[in-house]
Amino acid sequence: MRANTWAGRNKVEVRDVPDPKILNGRDAIVRITSTAICGSDLHLVDGYVPTMQDGDVMGHEFMGEVIEVGPDVPADRLRPGDRVVVPFPIACGACAACAAELYSCCENSNPNAGIAEKMFGHPLAGIFGYSHLTGGYAGGQAQYARVPFADVGPLKIDSDLTDEQVLFLSDILPTGYMGAEMCDIRPSDVVAVWGAGPVGQFAMDSARVLGAATVIAIDREPYRLRMAEQAGYKTINFDDADVRSRLLELTGGRGPDKCIDAVGMEATHGSAHIGAYDRIKQAVRSETERPHALRQAILSCRSGGVVSVIGVYGGLLDKFPAGAWMNRSLTLRTGQCHVQRYMKPLLDRIERGELDPTRIITHTLPLDQAERGFEIFKNKQDNCEKVVLKPVKRHRHFSKNDNGSSAGEVGI
């Protein structure tokens, strides 16, 4: 099959790779109809997430048609022919974390848990296409994918909604929503969102549907800020204004009630010398993050407010404003998204017309043009906000058992 693979720092390559196979009784094989490039994929390409290997299949936002299920997947849960969206965290559904709906903290899905434990203190869940630190699972920027614990993860789509309407239930829509939910939004709240990329846009939409009085987008890219303005949000271009000062002006001197960092480890700063400080430290690996957005959010948030962090961080950062965080009674909440918790409620919101995920899609390309997709997305060319990739359909034929599972591949 064709798949987009990691080919070294700053390089991806579409290659022929072996087709996935059922390895466990709870596996399924999905023929992918739509997949996407995520901002966190850029952290892999830029070399800031360790343990990537040449040939690793990338991608964790994908959906498609089930073509094969293992013998331990109940037929009433998933069958060949079902149309599904696959969440990016791989979760067993049975451990203490899954029982608490903390699916991205699953204790059983990461076969490389020891590596993650050394880096983070405790293991992480497995994640599709996101380094051997999170299990080394092949990702979804491919024609097919193996989905472990298929009786727990995939969400069946029974309606006639398009792929583009539901694809982002795999990651970025639940991530943006969780970022807003962690803010405990009240009707009078002013919510500031750092980053007007795809996750930031969905965090803004989620803050709106959860009742925020005012939502403010912070970014430097004119096309991203225009997209936020068109959705009804106020904007700040950090190249043109001091963010904290402008936020104080917009909030009567108090600061935003709730702040969301939707940027993460590769933030940029409007001041050249401040930006250069962290960029150099990150380049020589004196720190792994450029935490400008996080610092700004903490220093800008009103006393007693909430800072919600959904931008990806991978290791260690410098000059964290712990004094402001502690002395001003700020609440800091964060986490990789527990996607399975949010998929069905957000699908319901899409069906009711409360959310329109398609508004962020600017580019749709064939999977074989993934390299071009990464180039324009990373370099913010052609007003690129979000790239959806479409694999070419290739039929595989299976003989079916009575329970709907496949007896194995008999021809291609």
Side-chain angles (χ1 to χ4, degrees), residues 396-410:
R396 291 165 33 145
H397 303 286
F398 300 86
S399 60
K400 300 294 188 295
N401 295 321
D402 291 340
N403 68 350
S405 66
S406 170
E409 185 172 308
V410 296

Side-chain angles (χ1 to χ4, degrees), residues 223 362-363 372 376-377 379-385:
Y223 70 91
T362 53
H363 294 73
R372 170 63 178 158
I376 61 176
F377 185 49
N379 297 313
K380 300 179 177 64
Q381 299 172 356
D382 195 29
N383 292 345
C384 181
E385 180 77 2

Side-chain angles (χ1 to χ4, degrees), residues 98-333:
C98 289
E101 295 190 307
L102 301 174
Y103 296 103
S104 69
C105 299
C106 176
E107 299 164 352
N108 293 324
S109 63
N110 186 350
N112 297 331
I115 301 175
E117 188 172 353
K118 288 178 181 178
M119 188 160 183
F120 299 119
H122 290 272
L124 310 175
I127 296 176
F128 291 103
Y130 211 75
S131 86
H132 294 262
L133 188 68
T134 59
Y137 290 98
Q141 291 171 7
Q143 290 178 299
Y144 298 92
R146 180 177 75 93
V147 179
F149 301 111
D151 54 330
V152 175
L155 173 70
K156 285 196 286 188
I157 305 297
D158 296 319
S159 67
D160 59 357
L161 293 172
T162 66
D163 278 16
E164 287 74 13
Q165 288 176 288
V166 297
L167 171 61
F168 303 135
L169 290 169
S170 60
D171 175 7
I172 57 174
L173 181 55
T175 297
Y177 188 88
M178 187 173 113
E181 184 186 68
M182 289 191 295
C183 288
D184 293 333
I185 292 172
R186 299 179 181 179
S188 61
D189 278 349
V190 175
V191 179
V193 179
W194 274 257
V199 171
Q201 298 283 347
F202 286 154
M204 297 173 217
D205 291 348
S206 300
R208 171 180 54 79
V209 301
L210 290 174
T214 303
V215 179
I216 304 170
I218 302 162
D219 206 292
R220 75 190 308 178
E221 301 299 330
Y223 70 91
R224 289 180 165 189
L225 294 172
R226 282 196 302 271
M227 183 175 284
E229 287 176 342
Q230 290 166 1
Y233 310 126
K234 296 183 178 181
T235 63
I236 298 174
N237 186 324
F238 64 75
D239 277 345
D240 297 336
D242 178 76
V243 172
R244 182 177 173 276
S245 298
R246 181 66 181 135
L247 287 171
L248 290 175
E249 292 174 6
L250 293 171
T251 57
R254 297 177 67 242
D257 302 284
K258 312 293 165 61
C259 296
I260 300 174
D261 171 6
V263 180
M265 68 169 70
E266 293 190 71
T268 54
H269 196 280
S271 170
H273 69 280
I274 295 176
Y277 171 85
D278 279 297
R279 185 172 290 277
I280 292 169
K281 290 203 69 173
Q282 189 183 50
V284 300
R285 299 304 189 263
S286 294
E287 63 176 345
T288 57
E289 333 291 315
R290 299 199 301 266
H292 305 303
L294 180 58
R295 293 183 190 128
Q296 253 183 12
I298 290 172
L299 293 172
S300 300
C301 192
R302 71 157 171 85
S303 295
V306 175
V307 176
S308 171
V309 183
I310 50 176
V312 172
Y313 289 89
L316 304 171
L317 54 83
D318 190 17
K319 292 182 170 52
F320 176 81
W325 169 41
M326 183 270 170
N327 286 289
R328 296 198 295 110
S329 301
L330 297 176
T331 299
L332 186 64
R333 291 178 177 151

